[in-house]
């Protein structure tokens, strides 16, 4: 009989047509997406900030990011999974807080990332605000030593805000205290955030390699990559406001002069070739501020596509 109807469009349950897997026990996967919508709030109004909507907002534009996963993609010189039928690409859903156990979602996301790593997966975490990087990075204690590569307009070295030590202004300070994080490279800093002069001094004393957006534009991404030692394990944390607001406008603190998409793509491909990218997060997207084209979420997705395609092409998942 002639087919008269098609299934109604209900949005995308997973990112980039990946397989939905919410049972992480004994998970075996090559690439695993994980949503972490909630951070550690500084006040009552921040518990449900707009960043909590970002993981699903990025998933929802899947068909704007990649129209068909088997089509050729010039960013990665091949289809999304490079034509590989043996690559298992999964979306593990979201880690949601338990209202009866405040803060327990940080413990659970750390366990979730550990399960992904145990099963051989490359975690790609969708925030949420930047506080989520702290528990995610803790999960890499057996994967170290880690070089943290941080793209952001802001320093994120506050010890605490309102007594909260693991919120969005503190992830790099907390990372500096982790024994398995041995080097920190911060790229794209500009304008003004929560950092005070004393926070910058702490970062410099630690030895963070701080590269402002203006230095990046002057010397180029190749020169920045050359400052990162080869052969490392790299964790890439991308705050959307580290990118220029012409391509990622839906952020709380837009600052002109940020990293371009071409520069970010070169950073991703360069790190993949230098050593091993062991994880990545994208944070601080506020979907209600995105324009009609959903450009911020599409750009986030295209950065993820470049990581997926380049790691497969580089042989990360060859058996």
């Amino acid at each position: 009989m002639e087919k008269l109807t098609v299934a109604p469009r209900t949005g995308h349950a997973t990112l980039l047509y990946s397989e939905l897997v919410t049972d992480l026990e004994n998970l075996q996967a090559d690439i695993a997406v994980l949503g972490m919508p909630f951070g550690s709030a500084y006040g009552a109004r921040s518990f449900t900030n707009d960043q909590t909507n970002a993981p699903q907002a990025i998933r929802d534009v899947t068909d704007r990011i990649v129209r068909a996963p088997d089509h050729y993609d010039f960013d990665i010189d091949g289809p999304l999974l490079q034509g590989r039928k043996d690559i298992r690409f999964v979306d593990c859903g979201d880690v949601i807080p338990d209202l009866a156990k405040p803060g327990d979602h940080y413990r659970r996301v750390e366990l979730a990332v550990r399960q992904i790593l145990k099963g051989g997966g490359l975690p790609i975490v969708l925030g949420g605000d930047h506080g989520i990087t702290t528990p995610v990075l803790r999960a890499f204690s057996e994967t170290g030593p880690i070089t943290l590569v941080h793209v952001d307009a802001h320093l994120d070295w506050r010890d605490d805000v309102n007594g909260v030590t693991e919120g969005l202004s503190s992830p790099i300070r907390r990372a500096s205290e982790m024994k398995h994080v041995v080097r920190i490279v911060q790229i794209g800093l500009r304008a003004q955030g929560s950092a005070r002069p004393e926070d910058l001094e702490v970062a410099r004393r630690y030895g963070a390699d701080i590269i402002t957006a203006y230095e990046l534009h002057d010397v180029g991404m190749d020169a920045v990559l050359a400052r990162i030692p080869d052969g490392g394990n790299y964790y890439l944390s991308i705050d959307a406001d580290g990118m220029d607001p012409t391509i990622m406008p839906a952020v709380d603190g837009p600052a002109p002069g940020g990293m371009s998409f071409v520069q970010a793509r070169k950073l991703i491909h360069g790190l993949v070739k230098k050593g091993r990218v062991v994880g990545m997060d994208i944070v601080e997207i506020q979907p209600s501020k995105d324009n009609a084209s959903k450009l911020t979420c599409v750009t986030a997705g295209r950065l993820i596509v470049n990581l997926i395609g380049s790691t497969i092409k580089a042989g990360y998942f060859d058996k």
Side-chain angles (χ1 to χ4, degrees):
M1 185 176 182
E2 181 185 359
K3 184 175 175 62
L4 300 178
T5 65
V6 297
R9 182 177 175 186
T10 57
H12 296 281
T14 68
L15 182 70
L16 300 175
Y17 317 100
S18 53
E19 174 190 357
L20 179 62
V21 178
T22 56
D23 182 359
L24 305 191
E25 188 174 1
N26 301 316
L27 173 68
Q28 297 292 316
D30 298 299
I31 300 159
V33 173
L34 180 67
M36 180 58 174
F38 293 87
S40 187
Y42 291 142
R45 293 182 179 179
S46 299
F47 277 102
T48 56
N49 60 31
D50 197 23
Q51 291 95 308
T52 64
N53 298 312
Q56 191 55 44
I58 299 170
R59 291 182 178 107
D60 284 344
V61 293
T62 278
D63 57 346
R64 304 286 302 282
I65 300 164
V66 169
R67 295 195 176 191
D70 58 340
H71 288 192
Y72 189 89
D73 193 315
F74 282 92
D75 280 22
I76 56 176
D77 191 24
L80 177 64
L81 301 182
Q82 300 293 344
R84 295 272 296 272
K85 302 298 185 184
D86 60 325
I87 299 294
R88 192 178 188 201
F89 175 32
V90 303
D91 189 324
C92 300
D94 296 336
V95 177
I96 300 296
D98 181 344
L99 296 181
K101 298 179 181 178
D104 194 56
H105 59 303
Y106 269 35
R107 178 189 64 84
R108 288 188 290 116
V109 78
E110 179 183 338
L111 290 177
V113 175
R114 287 186 184 276
Q115 285 295 108
I116 292 168
L117 292 171
K118 181 181 176 183
L122 170 65
I124 300 174
V125 183
L126 311 177
D129 67 41
H130 218 151
I132 67 101
T133 300
T134 297
V136 170
L137 264 180
R138 287 197 187 108
F140 287 83
S141 60
E142 304 301 318
T143 310
I146 298 286
T147 293
L148 171 59
V149 180
H150 171 222
V151 175
D152 204 323
H154 308 123
L155 191 66
D156 290 356
W157 276 78
R158 287 290 293 268
D159 192 33
D160 75 279
V161 175
N162 296 338
V164 177
T165 60
E166 297 188 357
L168 61 91
S169 295
S170 303
I172 312 306
R173 181 76 163 253
R174 299 288 82 85
S176 74
E177 298 163 351
M178 299 179 194
K179 291 182 179 179
H180 58 286
V181 177
V182 297
R183 184 177 178 87
I184 295 174
V185 181
Q186 300 184 253
I187 311 169
L189 290 95
R190 61 197 189 283
Q192 187 184 69
S194 68
R196 292 85 48 92
E198 55 264 36
D199 301 314
L200 178 59
E201 181 56 34
V202 170
R204 285 174 170 160
R205 282 204 306 269
Y206 170 85
D209 191 356
I210 297 170
I211 302 162
T212 68
Y214 311 112
E215 182 180 357
L216 166 64
H217 297 319
D218 284 344
V219 304
M221 186 56 78
D222 286 327
V224 170
L225 281 163
R227 287 161 60 167
I228 302 173
D230 292 344
N233 294 314
Y234 310 112
Y235 182 90
L236 178 59
S237 181
I238 300 178
D239 187 319
D241 64 38
M243 306 294 291
D244 194 76
T246 56
I247 57 170
M248 295 194 90
V251 297
D252 190 45
M259 186 180 292
S260 72
F261 180 81
V262 172
Q263 289 169 330
R265 178 182 178 274
K266 181 170 280 192
L267 175 64
I268 291 169
H269 286 254
L271 290 173
V272 166
K273 293 173 183 175
K274 281 178 90 62
R276 191 170 188 91
V277 176
V278 295
M280 175 184 179
D281 65 52
I282 295 183
V283 301
E284 298 285 352
I285 292 173
Q286 297 192 346
S288 68
K289 293 184 171 73
D290 222 355
N291 54 30
S293 70
K294 307 299 182 187
L295 180 61
T296 306
C297 290
V298 170
T299 300
R302 291 303 304 173
L303 294 172
I304 292 168
V305 166
N306 275 274
L307 179 68
I308 292 171
S310 61
T311 53
I312 295 172
K313 204 167 190 66
Y316 278 30
F317 313 110
D318 291 354
K319 304 297 190 280

